[in-house]
Amino acid sequence: MSAGSRIIIAVIALVCAAGFFLTALEPNGLADSYTFYGFAVFCLVIAISSLSPKSHPITLRMIGTIIFCGYLTHAGGSLTHGHLGRALVGLLVCGLPAGYLAIQGKYLRWGVLKR
């Protein structure tokens, strides 16, 4: 990935982190402000990952863990909402590769472009 695209991703992630943080400070009737703090931290991890390639083994594992746990939680919560099929498809398509990323610290072999 080029340096310019990494900088653009980092800037967008930092703007999103600031937005989530400001939303958490003034939730205005939203149920839980801790969720917005979590999203702000997640965006900060993405920004750190895109700016510092040496931190990739750690930050990629953090990102993979967050995504896998999110899909797993969604699949567990969908048992009572009646959309278990869609939740399981999401877990299989996005959650399991993110779990692999969390464990191995690298992308699946088919997810990396061959040059």
Side-chain angles (χ1 to χ4, degrees):
M1 186 180 304
S2 70
S5 61
R6 287 196 318 261
I7 291 171
I8 290 171
I9 290 171
V11 167
I12 291 171
L14 288 173
V15 168
C16 290
F20 282 127
F21 182 74
L22 292 174
T23 303
L25 292 177
E26 289 290 329
N28 291 332
L30 296 174
D32 188 12
S33 63
Y34 294 114
T35 303
F36 292 102
Y37 287 123
F39 283 136
V41 169
F42 181 65
C43 290
L44 284 175
V45 169
I46 291 172
I48 291 169
S49 175
S50 62
L51 288 177
S52 175
K54 291 183 180 182
S55 71
H56 278 181
I58 296 168
T59 54
L60 288 178
R61 284 190 169 113
M62 290 171 66
I63 292 169
T65 301
I66 291 169
I67 293 172
F68 176 74
C69 290
Y71 273 101
L72 195 62
T73 303
H74 176 62
S78 69
L79 292 172
T80 59
H81 291 45
H83 53 83
L84 181 62
R86 289 184 291 178
L88 289 178
V89 168
L91 180 65
L92 290 175
V93 172
C94 297
L96 289 182
Y100 178 84
L101 177 64
I103 293 170
Q104 295 294 323
K106 59 184 179 179
Y107 297 110
L108 289 169
R109 193 172 77 163
W110 51 264
V112 178
L113 290 175
K114 300 293 181 190
R115 295 183 186 194

